[in-house]
Amino acid sequence: MSAIEVQPISGALGAEILNVDLSEHLNNDQFNKIHQAFLDNLVVFFRDQDLTPGQHVRFAKRFGELDIHKFIPGLPENPELIPVIKSAGDTNSNFGGIWHTDVSFQEQPALGSLLYGRKVPEYGGDTIFSNMYLAYERLSNGLKRTIADLRAIHTAGQVYGVDKRQESIQRFAYGDESMNVRFGADAEEEVSHPVVRIHPETGKKSLFVNEVYTTRFEGWTIEESAGLLKFLFNWSTRPDFTCRFRWQQGSMAFWDNRCVQHYALDDYYGFDRIMHRATIRGDKPV
Ligand code: SIN
């Protein structure tokens, strides 16, 4: 096979990596090139991969220990892989159709996620990614100073809390046919993370708030926090900071949750979309 090539897909973030077969054992040189492309481009994509769940897990584990999702059961034989499914006849909203960073409700949110397309719609069902370094860098110096020492509260309660069960099941594709989500009182736990975090590998600063899991600033009320949070949510997902990925069967996307948000489009009614996601455990944001 020829040497690995990295082709950016937008000016903001995202690159396709060519000439690599992820089903095979990667040598250190191949691994280092992929790792560097991941740090440089924030989200990388591979096409035409033919992977068993075991090979998906093996590739993901090259980057760190894998997380077991607290609320979404994994595959019986590969608990580190969660199925992200919406079936053709399901009229409910999809999983991931709000801007977010994976599992930011944990003390140690995800380093990265590797999503693999097993069955994808003929068209629709793209995923959009947003560069949270840019979202921070493009703020005015005044606002950078205001948020410099702020911390924000993150919780899974809004999604997986017991009192959300009824609403979530009615609204989202969370049923026997699609995703079998667990709701629990433990979802209400709150953690605090810095609003501006420093990436442990690149040393760069990024905004670290998201609409799904961030509820307020630490020491501020929900009401006081709402205006500034809303601004930051909208700002960080401006089209200029994003790229959009069109899936094919066998595509893999690997994004860095420490500096990327993502959004799964819900525009494929009538088609099945079946994906598997591995999530790599990250460190405590600083
Ligand atoms: C996710 O939020 O992890 C799922 C993204 C997608 O289905 O495109």
Side-chain angles (χ1 to χ4, degrees):
M1 202 172 240
S2 343
I4 286 183
E5 265 183 64
V6 180
Q7 288 183 349
I9 66 159
S10 91
L13 78 166
E16 276 200 28
I17 298 191
L18 312 178
N19 304 330
V20 65
D21 178 353
L22 302 181
S23 71
E24 296 194 341
H25 177 77
L26 302 180
N27 62 38
N28 285 345
D29 183 50
Q30 288 170 311
F31 171 77
N32 290 338
K33 284 198 172 116
I34 294 172
H35 184 222
Q36 195 56 50
F38 168 73
L39 293 178
D40 292 345
N41 296 282
L42 291 61
V43 53
V44 290
F45 308 103
F46 306 86
R47 297 268 187 207
D48 303 320
Q49 301 294 323
D50 187 7
L51 298 181
T52 62
Q55 288 164 337
H56 182 175
V57 167
R58 186 183 65 189
F59 175 59
K61 278 189 172 165
R62 291 289 298 264
F63 296 88
E65 210 183 316
L66 300 191
D67 208 48
I68 300 289
H69 202 287
K70 276 177 80 178
F71 304 102
I72 304 173
L75 301 180
E77 59 295 356
N78 292 97
E80 311 94 329
L81 293 182
I82 57 166
V84 174
I85 300 180
K86 196 171 111 162
S87 44
D90 199 330
T91 50
N92 282 1
S93 303
N94 62 340
F95 173 83
I98 310 180
W99 281 103
H100 66 287
T101 305
D102 292 325
V103 298
S104 76
F105 53 83
Q106 298 184 167
E107 284 283 349
Q108 291 179 241
L111 178 158
S113 302
L114 297 102
L115 189 70
Y116 179 60
R118 295 220 156 260
K119 184 169 185 194
V120 302
E122 270 171 43
Y123 48 84
D126 297 357
T127 308
I128 316 179
F129 299 88
S130 160
N131 179 336
M132 299 296 278
Y133 293 138
L134 269 184
Y136 172 73
E137 286 158 14
R138 298 276 177 89
L139 291 173
S140 66
N141 288 336
L143 189 47
K144 280 184 187 154
R145 276 196 297 274
T146 301
I147 62 173
D149 296 319
L150 286 183
R151 298 181 66 84
I153 303 300
H154 296 238
T155 173
Q158 305 188 108
V159 189
Y160 303 115
V162 258
D163 58 338
K164 292 285 172 200
R165 187 169 188 281
Q166 211 44 40
E167 182 189 324
S168 287
I169 285 176
Q170 276 168 9
R171 198 169 143 209
F172 294 106
Y174 293 166
D176 290 342
E177 257 192 75
S178 292
M179 294 177 65
N180 197 7
V181 165
R182 175 179 80 78
F183 297 86
D186 52 340
E188 310 293 342
E189 284 163 20
E190 295 187 329
V191 300
S192 151
H193 296 307
V195 169
V196 181
R197 70 178 290 187
I198 298 176
H199 194 289
E201 294 185 84
T202 65
K204 289 168 69 173
K205 288 181 178 176
S206 66
L207 262 186
F208 195 66
V209 289
N210 69 85
E211 198 174 340
V212 175
Y213 302 123
T214 313
T215 51
R216 65 181 193 282
F217 297 112
E218 191 174 79
W220 298 29
T221 65
I222 288 185
E223 209 177 0
E224 286 165 348
S225 308
L228 181 51
L229 275 181
K230 193 166 178 11
F231 169 78
L232 294 175
F233 297 154
N234 290 341
W235 171 260
S236 56
T237 57
R238 280 164 61 105
D240 320 60
F241 303 156
T242 68
C243 72
R244 177 168 172 156
F245 183 63
R246 179 157 192 192
W247 291 94
Q248 294 164 336
Q249 190 171 319
S251 301
M252 170 84 87
F254 175 22
W255 61 89
D256 189 334
N257 280 293
R258 300 164 295 185
C259 53
V260 170
Q261 283 199 73
H262 59 284
Y263 179 108
L265 283 167
D266 193 11
D267 59 350
Y268 52 93
Y269 178 72
F271 293 112
D272 290 322
R273 186 174 184 273
I274 302 176
M275 323 291 278
H276 286 171
R277 192 183 92 191
T279 312
I280 304 164
R281 192 166 300 162
D283 45 16
K284 202 170 155 50
V286 291

